[in-house]
Amino acid sequence: LQTRLQAGQGYGNTLNCVLTVYRNESVAGFFKGMSFPLASIAVYSSVVFGVFSNTQRLLSQLRHGDPARAPVLADVALASMVAGFISVGIGTPVDLVKIRLQMQTQPYIEANIKAKPTVPGFPVYRGPIHCFRTVLQKEGIAGIYRGVGAMLLRDVPGYCLYFIPYTFFCAWTTSDGCVSPSPSSIWLAGGLAGAISWGTATPMDVVKSRLQADGVYLNKYKGTLDCILQSYQNEGLKVFFRGTTVNAVRGFPMSSAMFLGYELSLKAMKRDQTETNP
């Protein structure tokens, strides 16, 4: 729904988008492009959380000489920015394939650019592997990383608004004297952080989605700035807030589960290490 609302045409609101997708493509339409993100989410999340936690430990070591010491706000912010920067290298190709698969049967909208010979409304790609290989062959590495600038502008500040609120809410909901937050505190803090991060990242998420969807039938945008200007000139400021509700709503349960899994895994590994090395 998020991609259709941001990069598609003819959807008035979220409910209309749901009904249109179901009417035209049945239930299968809601799961288009899912296999590639599903196959890569474990690696992606491991890299993001691994980079974040290890950067925090490194900064604590450099600043205080103790990697286990609780990081200050500046360290959390810097670690978040590093994690966001690194995540783009993995996330951009995955998002591009997902969006191309989701948008390839969308109606063709006239533009002042000559269309490709592919017939709009019919699938261009047979699946995620075929999509990746086709884009790589026709557009090269630059095609695979189309929208990387917009994704950097989304993820670097976005991860700051992901990890900083999580750290704050965990501290706020944890009782004095407790060594670590409870699972319920982690779940709530993670969900609120995800909703905040995804909600505020929507404007650049719109730009990224449009850049990556562009190229299935025609190339309308020359780059990030051109996409911003064209979108604003044609549809006004409100276009940059398309999909905000969907982003915020999906961000809560997704981030709750991710943070809870991360924290419980860390606790389990630390307990195993303690039992192995008493």
Side-chain angles (χ1 to χ4, degrees), residues 250-263:
R250 78 161 184 170
F252 192 101
M254 181 177 69
S255 299
S256 292
M258 198 166 292
F259 274 109
L260 188 59
Y262 169 70
E263 295 287 4

Side-chain angles (χ1 to χ4, degrees), residues 85-108:
F85 184 84
I86 296 298
S87 72
V88 171
I90 302 172
T92 304
V94 173
D95 270 17
L96 181 127
V97 171
K98 178 193 73 172
I99 287 173
R100 290 287 178 97
L101 289 172
Q102 290 173 341
M103 297 300 296
Q104 64 175 335
T105 56
Q106 293 301 286
Y108 170 62

Side-chain angles (χ1 to χ4, degrees), residues 41-240:
I41 188 63
V43 175
Y44 179 83
S45 298
S46 297
V47 169
V48 169
F49 280 88
V51 169
F52 172 73
S53 59
N54 282 293
T55 303
Q56 274 192 329
R57 290 173 60 85
L58 176 61
L59 292 171
S60 293
Q61 174 68 43
L62 293 174
R63 189 186 295 271
H64 307 292
D66 180 10
R69 183 163 177 172
V72 298
L73 181 61
D75 291 348
V76 176
L78 183 56
S80 302
M81 293 171 68
V82 173
F85 184 84
I86 296 298
S87 72
V88 171
I90 302 172
T92 304
V94 173
D95 270 17
L96 181 127
V97 171
K98 178 193 73 172
I99 287 173
R100 290 287 178 97
L101 289 172
Q102 290 173 341
M103 297 300 296
Q104 64 175 335
T105 56
Q106 293 301 286
Y108 170 62
I109 303 300
E110 291 293 335
N112 295 323
I113 301 170
K114 188 176 181 180
K116 293 181 179 180
T118 310
V119 179
F122 292 90
V124 180
Y125 312 112
R126 295 191 294 270
I129 302 301
H130 180 252
C131 177
F132 185 89
R133 188 170 62 244
T134 301
V135 174
L136 187 62
Q137 289 173 348
K138 293 184 177 180
E139 304 173 46
I141 296 295
I144 290 295
Y145 280 90
R146 184 173 178 81
V148 67
M151 197 159 181
L152 278 170
L153 292 173
R154 184 196 74 173
D155 284 3
V156 173
Y159 274 110
C160 286
L161 292 172
Y162 190 60
F163 288 112
I164 292 175
Y166 171 74
T167 303
F168 170 77
F169 287 126
C170 269
W172 184 53
T173 56
T174 302
S175 303
D176 293 337
C178 292
V179 177
S180 59
S182 65
S184 59
S185 294
I186 295 169
W187 181 87
L188 179 61
L192 291 173
I196 291 170
S197 177
W198 275 106
T200 54
T202 298
M204 289 315 302
D205 195 40
V206 170
V207 176
K208 179 200 71 74
S209 295
R210 291 188 163 212
L211 284 169
Q212 292 183 327
D214 189 40
V216 178
Y217 300 118
L218 49 80
N219 289 307
K220 185 178 180 181
Y221 307 116
K222 298 175 183 177
T224 301
L225 181 60
D226 183 53
C227 180
I228 293 171
L229 293 175
Q230 284 199 49
S231 298
Y232 176 74
Q233 289 170 357
N234 295 333
E235 300 170 70
L237 190 63
K238 65 180 180 180
V239 70
F240 299 109

